[in-house]
Amino acid sequence: MESPVDLDQQMMQRTFELALRGWGRTSPNPLVGAVIVRDGQVLAEGWHDRCGGPHAEVAALEDARSRGIDVRGATMYVNLEPCSHYGRTPPCSLALIQSGIKKVVTAMVDPNPLVAGRGHGQMAQAGIEVVSGILENEAKRLNDIFIHYITQKRPFVCLKMAASLDGKTATGAGQSRWITGKEARRWVHWQRLRYRAVAVGINTVLADDPMLTARDENDTEVERQPLRVVLDPLLKLPLESKLVRTAREIPLLVVSGQQTDPDKVSVLQSLGVSVFACPKRTDTLDLGFFLDYLYSRDVDSLLLEGGNQTAATFLNQGLIDKIAFFFAPMLIGGRDAPGLIGGQGITELTGAIRLSDLKVQQLGDDLLIEAYIGR
């Protein structure tokens, strides 16, 4: 017979799977799934499909109603505490109380100050048994973007890079396509679906002329695209680049310095490009100011795909929250071949940036290492 602990974990894992069905559409809301269970049997399921749409709990209750199932006395599993406030939709805690559900099992408390335990409290006060903390670490990883955005009031930044096994991102002659295989590149496009913005430095644009779009498995651009960002202090962006040529169809933001050619700014704007003049911090752009600007535009996340100098600048300013590094089974070597992180680096190991909560997986022939900074 399956133990209650095993059942709790099995059902919570199912909520994660359901939550992922909203990938790329719920931002800035979290990814949430819900399962209604009685006597170990699943009665109904639901997930938050898009921002502004029904929450997972309500979707699961509606699934039960559509099947003619009475949920009174049943248990609901949900990977995030049900909301307790009126937003785009009514409180889920109230819907659960009215439904007759007798027990609610969650993975974690909602970090949103408008909720933060109130949903659990309202349900408990109404007589519902509340259990929380089932697979909590996994739940936090699933919604790392939402947690950071709602608590830190700044976009979550993930640094994505690809290198050979000896840590080289290109040959000494600058060749970098393709270090990783198709599976790794497909993963990147999957991430571009979720992140609201993707950024590179101007040197990457000059070297590769990228599109920075999200594409599906058939290499077709999807409907919802991230905001494309180029960090370009001196406004070197070529007008004939793919990014500029497609700026009217897919949003493009150029982050320049404040002392740039106003005529070039006007030309870019006439072509549909947005230009943000960012102040300097010593000899580099104040990227914290830039992230605050993104937050003001309701951008909850940034996937940073720039080169090693861009990576170093973000790291030096303490603005990276997560890293996702691909390592391909090849050796490049060479003193002139660039490594993953540029800049001056450190002189003492005590100054090294420490990573936590590492996750390693193989995609095709490549290894992907994900880890958090300052968590």
Side-chain angles (χ1 to χ4, degrees):
M1 178 180 292
E2 193 170 39
S3 72
V5 173
D6 291 339
L7 178 64
D8 285 350
Q9 293 188 354
Q10 178 186 339
M11 292 300 119
M12 195 60 69
Q13 191 63 50
R14 178 57 181 167
T15 71
F16 299 158
E17 296 169 0
L18 292 168
L20 288 173
R21 297 185 182 184
W23 187 273
R25 297 187 302 275
T26 65
S27 174
N29 289 350
L31 295 165
V32 185
V35 181
I36 301 175
V37 178
R38 180 187 287 121
D39 299 327
Q41 300 298 313
V42 174
L43 303 179
E45 298 179 329
W47 63 92
H48 185 39
D49 186 65
R50 58 180 176 81
C51 182
H55 289 187
E57 301 92 324
V58 173
L61 292 173
E62 180 56 38
D63 182 42
R65 279 193 291 270
S66 69
R67 300 167 184 263
I69 297 173
D70 185 353
V71 301
R72 284 177 295 181
T75 297
M76 174 174 283
Y77 290 85
V78 59
N79 60 290
L80 186 68
E81 175 187 9
C83 66
S84 58
H85 64 292
Y86 285 88
R88 292 185 177 92
T89 61
C92 291
S93 58
L94 180 60
L96 290 173
I97 292 169
Q98 294 173 341
S99 72
I101 288 282
K102 76 169 184 178
K103 182 177 180 180
V104 173
V105 182
T106 68
M108 60 176 287
V109 172
D110 191 333
N112 187 340
L114 295 174
V115 186
R118 292 182 179 87
H120 286 159
Q122 287 180 359
M123 293 185 297
Q125 189 173 11
I128 295 176
E129 180 185 354
V130 176
V131 177
S132 187
I134 305 298
L135 300 183
E136 183 175 9
N137 288 338
E138 291 88 339
K140 288 180 176 179
R141 178 182 281 273
L142 175 68
N143 275 308
D144 50 11
I145 289 175
F146 170 74
I147 294 169
H148 179 89
Y149 179 71
I150 204 72
T151 60
Q152 303 302 312
K153 308 299 182 185
R154 178 174 277 184
F156 180 87
V157 180
C158 176
L159 171 63
K160 188 281 297 181
M161 302 195 78
S164 60
L165 206 55
D166 57 337
K168 304 296 186 180
T169 59
T171 66
Q175 185 179 355
S176 61
R177 291 191 173 184
W178 294 101
I179 286 179
T180 53
K182 291 182 179 179
E183 291 82 357
R185 296 197 293 275
R186 189 175 297 123
W187 181 93
V188 173
H189 286 290
W190 174 246
Q191 295 302 312
R192 288 179 183 176
L193 281 173
R194 184 182 186 193
Y195 282 78
R196 292 294 298 275
V198 56
V200 296
I202 184 59
N203 290 335
T204 297
V205 177
L206 296 176
D208 299 336
D209 193 22
M211 277 287 288
L212 301 181
T213 52
R215 295 188 288 275
D216 62 20
E217 294 182 357
N218 299 317
D219 203 33
T220 302
E221 289 182 348
V222 298
E223 181 178 354
R224 180 177 179 178
Q225 291 291 339
L227 170 67
R228 302 175 299 171
V229 179
V230 179
L231 304 168
D232 186 9
L234 301 178
L235 225 54
K236 297 180 180 179
L237 182 64
L239 300 181
E240 66 276 11
S241 65
K242 294 176 182 176
L243 290 168
V244 174
R245 294 204 313 266
T246 57
R248 293 193 185 282
E249 291 77 41
I250 307 170
L252 174 63
L253 172 67
V254 174
V255 182
S256 72
Q258 293 184 320
Q259 306 297 323
T260 49
D261 182 359
D263 292 336
K264 180 71 175 288
V265 172
S266 296
V267 171
L268 287 171
Q269 291 174 335
S270 71
L271 295 172
V273 179
S274 298
V275 179
F276 173 66
C278 185
K280 277 194 171 184
R281 173 177 171 176
T282 61
D283 60 343
T284 61
L285 295 177
D286 186 342
L287 296 172
F289 193 90
F290 157 61
L291 291 180
D292 289 339
Y293 169 72
L294 288 184
Y295 180 82
S296 73
R297 293 184 54 172
D298 297 325
V299 174
D300 67 352
S301 51
L302 175 70
L303 183 63
L304 184 62
E305 299 188 27
N308 64 8
Q309 292 303 318
T310 299
T313 302
F314 270 84
L315 283 169
N316 290 340
Q317 294 187 27
L319 301 175
I320 300 295
D321 303 298
K322 181 181 181 180
I323 62 103
F325 286 2
F326 280 99
F327 291 95
M330 66 173 70
L331 302 174
I332 293 177
R335 293 189 200 88
D336 297 329
L340 282 164
I341 309 298
Q344 294 297 315
I346 60 171
T347 56
E348 301 289 338
L349 282 178
T350 54
I353 297 172
R354 300 293 177 175
L355 306 174
S356 64
D357 198 10
L358 270 69
K359 177 183 177 183
V360 182
Q361 61 178 310
Q362 185 167 349
L363 295 176
D365 292 331
D366 304 313
L367 287 179
L368 169 62
I369 298 178
E370 298 174 86
Y372 294 91
I373 295 175
R375 184 172 177 179

